[in-house]
Amino acid sequence: MSHNTFGHLFRVTTWGESHGPAIGCVVDGCPPGVPLEAIDIQRYLEKRRTGQSRFTTQRQEPDAVEILSGVFTNEAGQQVTTGTPISLVIKNVDQRAKDYSDIKDKFRPGHADYTYWKKYKIRDFRGGGRSSARETAMRVAAGAIARKVLDGITIRGALVQIGNRAVDRSLWDWDSVDSNQLFCPDPATAVHWAEYLDEVRKAGSSIGAVIEVVAEGVPAGLGAPIYAKLDQDLASAIMSINAVKGVEIGAGMGAAELTGEENADEIRIGSDGEARFMTNHAGGILGGISSGQPIVCRFTVKPTSSILVPRKTIDQEGHEIDLITKGRHDPCVGIRAVPIGEAMMALVLADHLLRHRAQCGG
Ligand SMILES: Cc1cc2nc3c(=O)[nH]c(=O)nc-3n(C[C@H](O)[C@H](O)[C@H](O)COP(=O)(O)O)c2cc1C
C-alpha cells in the first residue's frame, strides 16, 4: 500500500494498524538544533488519547511515545534534533481483535470495509486496520514536532458544533477549551452538549460535529499562487483525517451569501506602518498565500459509523444482512478530531515555512 507519506520538505510517513503491535512515523526534513523531548510530543497525544471521558471510546491506550532516532544531546546537555529522520513509535496495548471477529467478512456501512476489499482484496478487519483513526495518533505526534519548527505561531482548535447545536460565539473563551472534556470554547454550551451526548450514547447512536482550527502569528508569504496554494494544501490535509466530509477556510460556504462589499477584507495602515485588515473573510489566505491574518479553517466530521442500531449491509459473499457494530466506539468522533485538526494545520504550515525559506530565503 503506497501513499503513506505527506509533505514536501517537512515530510511525514506513518505506519501501523489499529490492532497491530505498534504504530509509528518517520518525520524527515526537520531542521537540526530544535530542542525535542518525548514529553513535548506526549502532551499533545494526551489530548487525543482515548478512554479519558464517557464521550470517547473506552479503549485504554496510554499512547506512550518513544523517540528512536533523529535526536542527540548537544554540548549544552540539551536533546535536540540532528536533521536526520526522526522515528517515533507508540505500542498498541489494548487491542481486542476478538471484538471484530464477527464482522470479518461483513462490510460495516459508513466504514472503509467495502472499498478496501474492492481495492486490495485483503482486509485487516481488526478495528479497521490501516483505515482506523488509530493512525491519527502519529499525525498528532508529528504535529507536535512541526509546532516546534513554527516558533511564534499559535495553533488552537475547538469543537464549535455538535449535531445542530452550535456554540454561542459571543461567549467564545479559548481558555475554557481545555477545561472541559468536549474542547468547547463556551462552557455553558459544553454542559448542554454533555447532556445531549449522553442521550446519543445511551441510544446506541452517534452524531456529527464541526471543528474550528485557528493559526495565529503566521507570517505573510507562506504558500504559492498556483499548485501549492496554502488553502489547497490545508484542505487536502484536513480532508485526509478519518470521517471528515467538509472543509472550509474563512467565510467558507457562507461566502455564497455575501456581497462583494461585505466579503472584501478592507485594508488600512496600522500605527506601526503595517497593513491592517478590517475583517477576515479570507481566513488569512489570499491567492493561496498567507496574508499575516489568522488562518481559520473549519471542518465537518460525520457521525461515527459504528453504532448499536442495526443497519442494512452485505457480506463478502454478497448476502444482504442487518449489522450491529459492537465494540468500543466514540459517540462523536469530532471531539478527538480537535487535536488531529490542530496537528494537520501545524504540519502544513511547517512544510510551507520550509518551502518558503527554500525559495525566498529569510
Ligand atoms: C478520532 C477518530 C476516531 C474514530 N473512531 C471511530 C470509531 O470508533 N468508529 C467508527 O465507526 N468510526 C470511527 N472513526 C471514523 C472512521 O475512521 C472513518 O469513518 C472510516 O475510516 C471511513 O473513512 P471516511 O469516513 O473518511 O470515509 C473515527 C474518526 C476519528 C477522527
Side-chain angles (χ1 to χ4, degrees):
M1 184 193 281
S2 56
H3 306 296
N4 295 294
T5 301
F6 156 78
H8 289 250
L9 295 190
F10 193 95
R11 270 171 97 72
V12 180
T13 303
T14 69
W15 55 265
E17 286 83 27
S18 172
H19 283 54
I23 52 173
C25 73
V26 177
V27 177
D28 198 7
C30 181
V34 178
L36 182 67
E37 299 281 347
I39 187 77
D40 300 326
I41 302 170
Q42 199 64 52
R43 56 185 276 237
Y44 292 103
L45 286 167
E46 287 304 307
K47 242 180 120 167
R48 186 207 153 277
R49 205 154 65 78
T50 56
Q52 299 192 96
S53 83
R54 64 187 189 279
F55 307 119
T56 61
T57 170
Q58 292 310 300
R59 178 172 173 177
Q60 296 286 346
E61 288 291 352
D63 281 352
V65 70
E66 208 182 324
I67 305 177
L68 300 182
S69 68
V71 290
F72 196 66
T73 306
N74 66 12
E75 283 169 4
Q78 190 177 32
Q79 181 166 289
V80 296
T81 58
T82 57
T84 62
I86 303 167
S87 209
L88 306 177
V89 69
I90 293 175
K91 295 203 173 76
N92 289 328
V93 299
D94 192 20
Q95 318 94 305
R96 288 193 209 156
K98 69 173 170 36
D99 281 355
Y100 295 90
S101 52
D102 57 345
I103 55 139
K104 69 179 173 29
D105 54 357
K106 302 180 176 97
F107 303 127
R108 294 166 300 170
H111 271 276
D113 302 347
Y114 174 74
T115 46
Y116 259 54
W117 178 249
K118 289 300 267 189
K119 184 175 175 73
Y120 299 108
K121 314 288 182 279
I122 179 163
R123 176 166 80 87
D124 178 349
F125 58 83
R126 305 163 307 161
R130 184 74 179 147
S131 73
S132 162
R134 181 93 192 103
E135 182 268 351
T136 61
M138 296 325 302
R139 303 176 189 220
V140 172
I145 301 176
R147 283 180 192 259
K148 297 219 129 203
V149 174
L150 297 169
D151 206 19
I153 296 177
T154 306
I155 298 169
R156 295 183 289 193
L159 199 61
V160 297
Q161 189 173 327
I162 289 185
N164 60 6
R165 295 156 164 80
V167 289
D168 180 347
R169 284 181 176 265
S170 68
L171 299 177
W172 190 295
D173 172 16
W174 277 117
D175 289 338
S176 71
V177 169
D178 286 332
S179 62
N180 65 79
Q181 293 173 330
L182 303 175
F183 302 129
C184 178
D186 149 17
T189 297
V191 175
H192 299 304
W193 279 356
E195 289 162 6
Y196 173 59
L197 276 182
D198 276 333
E199 285 169 29
V200 170
R201 192 170 48 88
K202 282 176 192 154
S205 184
S206 64
I207 189 73
V210 180
I211 294 94
E212 184 163 311
V213 180
V214 180
E216 287 163 295
V218 180
L222 305 195
I226 309 291
Y227 297 121
K229 288 179 189 245
L230 190 55
D231 38 0
Q232 165 195 354
D233 285 357
L234 196 49
S236 170
I238 295 289
M239 192 54 104
S240 77
I241 301 171
N242 312 48
V244 172
K245 294 311 264 184
V247 183
E248 58 179 25
I249 313 286
M253 300 293 173
E257 294 176 20
L258 300 178
T259 62
E261 313 85 277
E262 288 165 335
N263 187 61
D265 296 320
E266 295 181 280
I267 314 176
R268 281 282 167 259
I269 295 290
S271 51
D272 56 359
E274 294 291 327
R276 286 283 174 279
F277 291 87
M278 295 165 74
T279 50
N280 190 14
H281 294 108
I285 304 171
L286 289 164
I289 300 172
S290 59
S291 65
Q293 290 221 80
I295 295 181
V296 183
C297 174
R298 269 180 304 283
F299 60 99
T300 303
V301 170
K302 74 187 192 185
T304 324
S305 307
S306 309
I307 48 175
L308 294 172
V309 182
R311 298 283 87 191
K312 294 187 191 337
T313 188
I314 56 170
D315 65 17
Q316 259 164 235
E317 279 69 52
H319 304 116
E320 293 183 347
I321 53 168
D322 279 1
L323 189 69
I324 291 175
T325 314
K326 294 185 220 130
R328 302 161 294 171
H329 307 286
D330 299 38
C332 176
V333 294
I335 304 167
R336 287 197 297 130
V338 173
I340 305 167
E342 292 177 344
M344 293 314 277
M345 171 78 90
L347 289 166
V348 170
L349 290 179
D351 189 37
H352 270 281
L353 184 72
L354 299 187
R355 284 152 78 176
H356 175 68
R357 279 187 200 155
Q359 189 184 19
C360 302

